Amino acid sequence: MSAPRTTTPRKFLGRLSLPERTYVADALRTETVGGVLLLIAATASLIWANIPALHDSYESVAHHHIGPEALGLNLSVAHWAADGLLAIFFFVAGIELKRELVAGDLRDPKAAVLPVVAALCGMAVPALVYALTNAVGGGSLQGWAVPTATDIAFALAVLAVIGTSLPSALRAFLLTLAVVDDLFAILIIAIFFTEQIDFAALGGAFVGLALFWLLLRKGVRGWYVYVPLALVIWALMFNSGVHATIAGVAMGLMLRCSTREGEEQSPGEHIEHLVRPLSAGLAVPLFALFNAGVSVSGEALAEVFTRPEALGVVLGLVLGKAFGIFGGTWLTVRFTRATLSEELQWADVFAVASLAGIGFTVSLLIGELAFEDDPALMGEVKTAVLVGSLIAAILATVLLKIRNAEYRRLCEVEERDEDMDGIPDIYEEDEPDYHLRMAEIHERKAAEHRRLAEEKAAARLAEVTGGASEENHRPA
């Protein structure tokens, strides 16, 4: 009779593979820089819009219309930033999602369950919190989707400012959450914020996407082919009535993100590497500059906590996100019999879940779409997004600071490379060659210490002998 088969419990937030760790580090490095620029742009926007002498100029620039009227593209600067520049942001999000599906954590259905469920709960609970708040307070349910989004760039900027050495597994979890979050945010925008559809323009956009896909499959190269085609697809998607950012994510999903023989990078990863700095460093900060400029006065801040729509956004971001992601994660781990990494605690998961309450970029975009017919309420909801994101950032900062010393220790272990071969030692502990290299290093160090010991001993003996000789020759 054969012995019963045992299965090793799957680790949650365990050590990443080396390629995944390298990818995550590169992606987050760019997002962190972009997040700092986003913070600067948001601050500049608030200052520009709230200094009385400058307020009119901000409104004038943000609402200045440019673009060809004949093509239906005579848009305000703020509109160009929201529909045009954010298409670049969603293009990168599409590539990230494709990579996760074919080469990352979402490739394995068992591993994908956890971030997907956590992200879904992290969107459903904030929406529920908003709906309950407005049902009780008699507010509008139109803004239910505003607190559902997470801004990964802003969250990473907060991490950079507070200097938390968050372990790579937690950073990867946050990044994967944000990728899945972006996907569902795109679906929400496409399904719930499309009122009238121009089927001719939408058909043209689909023809353009089909041509884009065919050119990729044929191996056609050259930015001069794809950039003009992408602009045509974007313009047709915009005129169709479907939010134009959908064109960006659709093109991102079409790129091949798996490597073939002889390739160091897949085409998708290569293009993402080129476009991500444009997205994080220019597109998103400019969107923030022209869309975060709301009036922040004592009266406006008071309305955030008295108007049900604004209060629902704040509570959704601060409470809904934290408890939604944490609850979804805990339940999934509990029922899939996974085990939390021994090096981390559930408090760390809650801290990252709190950090996901920073919902700046996409929340502002959804707020504009939800309340475009009521500019006053739109301004209050935007203020609520800023306030809610700020409270979530402060809460996450406090929670992460409590464990910062432990995070630094874990990061030191992850980064240690004593044999100086460019690969962290923790990934080579099962390799015989690594231990042979370390033995040689320790032998050289031991030989050097023996030589120093002999020199010090000889010097001390000479000193003692010299002292005794002087004592013997001293006159009585």
Side-chain angles (χ1 to χ4, degrees):
M1 181 176 177
S2 60
R5 185 176 60 183
T6 59
T7 57
T8 303
R10 188 166 51 83
K11 289 284 183 188
F12 168 52
L13 296 179
R15 186 192 311 162
L16 301 177
S17 67
L18 185 58
E20 186 71 9
R21 180 183 180 277
T22 303
Y23 170 79
V24 168
D26 290 342
L28 296 184
R29 192 176 299 113
T30 305
E31 291 287 2
T32 300
V33 174
V36 173
L37 294 175
L38 177 60
L39 282 171
I40 294 171
T43 303
S45 176
L46 290 170
I47 293 172
W48 191 2
N50 284 278
I51 294 178
L54 300 176
H55 177 77
D56 289 343
S57 67
Y58 178 82
E59 292 293 322
S60 176
V61 172
H63 295 101
H64 177 69
H65 279 65
I66 54 175
E69 181 69 43
L71 298 178
L73 297 175
N74 185 236
L75 311 176
S76 67
V77 171
H79 207 162
W80 274 110
D83 279 18
L85 292 177
L86 278 195
I88 301 173
F89 166 80
F90 280 109
F91 174 70
V92 174
I95 299 175
E96 287 177 340
L97 178 62
K98 180 68 173 289
R99 187 202 163 276
E100 288 292 330
L101 289 170
V102 301
D105 288 343
L106 301 183
R107 174 185 55 187
D108 177 6
K110 291 182 180 178
V113 167
L114 202 147
V116 169
V117 171
L120 280 173
C121 291
M123 300 183 82
V125 175
L128 182 61
V129 169
Y130 177 93
L132 289 174
T133 304
N134 283 270
V136 172
S140 170
L141 295 178
Q142 285 179 272
W144 65 269
V146 176
T148 60
T150 294
D151 193 314
I152 184 64
F154 220 141
L156 293 170
V158 170
L159 284 177
V161 170
I162 65 177
T164 300
S165 303
L166 206 62
S168 58
L170 281 173
R171 289 178 180 267
F173 180 58
L174 180 61
L175 180 62
T176 307
L177 271 178
V179 170
V180 179
D181 193 289
D182 286 340
L183 168 65
F184 288 110
I186 292 161
L187 292 175
I188 287 172
I189 291 170
I191 296 170
F192 296 100
F193 296 101
T194 299
E195 295 178 356
Q196 295 181 339
I197 296 180
D198 183 330
F199 287 100
L202 185 61
F206 279 123
V207 170
L209 287 170
L211 179 59
F212 189 89
W213 179 85
L214 184 63
L215 291 172
L216 288 172
R217 291 299 170 273
K218 293 293 184 181
V220 176
R221 296 175 178 268
W223 64 267
Y224 46 84
V225 174
Y226 292 102
V227 171
L229 179 58
L231 291 174
V232 170
I233 293 170
W234 175 87
L236 287 168
M237 190 69 75
F238 175 83
N239 281 289
S240 74
V242 177
H243 201 270
T245 53
I246 305 300
V249 75
M251 287 184 278
L253 285 169
M254 289 182 181
L255 294 175
R256 177 169 62 82
C257 292
S258 56
T259 54
R260 293 176 179 170
E261 188 175 352
E263 290 182 340
E264 292 185 4
Q265 274 187 324
S266 67
E269 289 173 317
H270 176 67
I271 293 172
E272 181 190 10
H273 181 72
L274 296 176
V275 179
R276 186 188 286 275
L278 178 63
S279 169
L282 181 67
V284 175
L286 282 178
F287 168 80
L289 182 64
F290 293 111
N291 288 273
V294 294
S295 297
V296 182
S297 60
E299 182 180 350
L301 291 175
E303 288 179 347
V304 166
F305 298 99
T306 55
R307 284 292 296 264
E309 295 86 355
L311 181 60
V313 169
V314 173
L315 294 178
L317 288 172
V318 177
L319 300 179
K321 273 288 183 183
F323 287 100
I325 292 173
F326 180 82
T329 302
W330 187 88
L331 287 172
T332 306
V333 169
R334 173 72 177 81
F335 288 105
T336 58
R337 297 184 179 179
T339 58
L340 183 66
S341 172
E342 297 87 351
E343 298 172 332
L344 298 171
Q345 299 177 5
W346 282 107
D348 301 318
V349 179
F350 188 81
V352 170
S354 300
L355 193 63
I358 300 173
F360 190 78
T361 305
V362 181
S363 290
L364 288 176
L365 175 61
I366 295 176
E368 285 195 346
L369 296 173
F371 297 106
E372 60 183 348
D373 296 330
D374 190 341
L377 187 52
M378 182 198 297
E380 292 172 5
V381 167
K382 282 187 173 184
T383 304
V385 170
L386 297 177
V387 172
S389 297
L390 179 60
I391 294 173
I394 293 171
L395 175 62
T397 299
V398 172
L399 294 174
L400 291 170
K401 280 291 186 182
I402 293 172
R403 294 260 294 159
N404 208 27
E406 180 64 14
Y407 295 152
R408 280 198 299 269
R409 185 191 68 78
L410 293 175
C411 281
E412 287 172 4
V413 172
E414 286 185 1
E415 298 293 335
R416 187 179 297 127
D417 183 18
E418 291 188 10
D419 61 344
M420 294 180 290
D421 66 343
I423 300 174
D425 295 340
I426 199 169
Y427 290 97
E428 300 182 295
E429 291 174 344
D430 294 330
E431 298 294 328
D433 289 345
Y434 163 74
H435 292 285
L436 290 174
R437 287 195 302 272
M438 290 304 300
E440 290 177 5
I441 291 170
H442 287 303
E443 285 166 4
R444 286 197 298 269
K445 288 182 178 180
E448 179 65 15
H449 283 296
R450 279 193 292 269
R451 183 185 66 79
L452 291 173
E454 289 170 1
E455 288 179 359
K456 297 296 182 185
R460 183 171 298 174
L461 180 61
E463 184 180 337
V464 171
T465 305
S469 176
E470 288 177 10
E471 187 70 27
N472 291 335
H473 287 85
R474 185 177 299 165

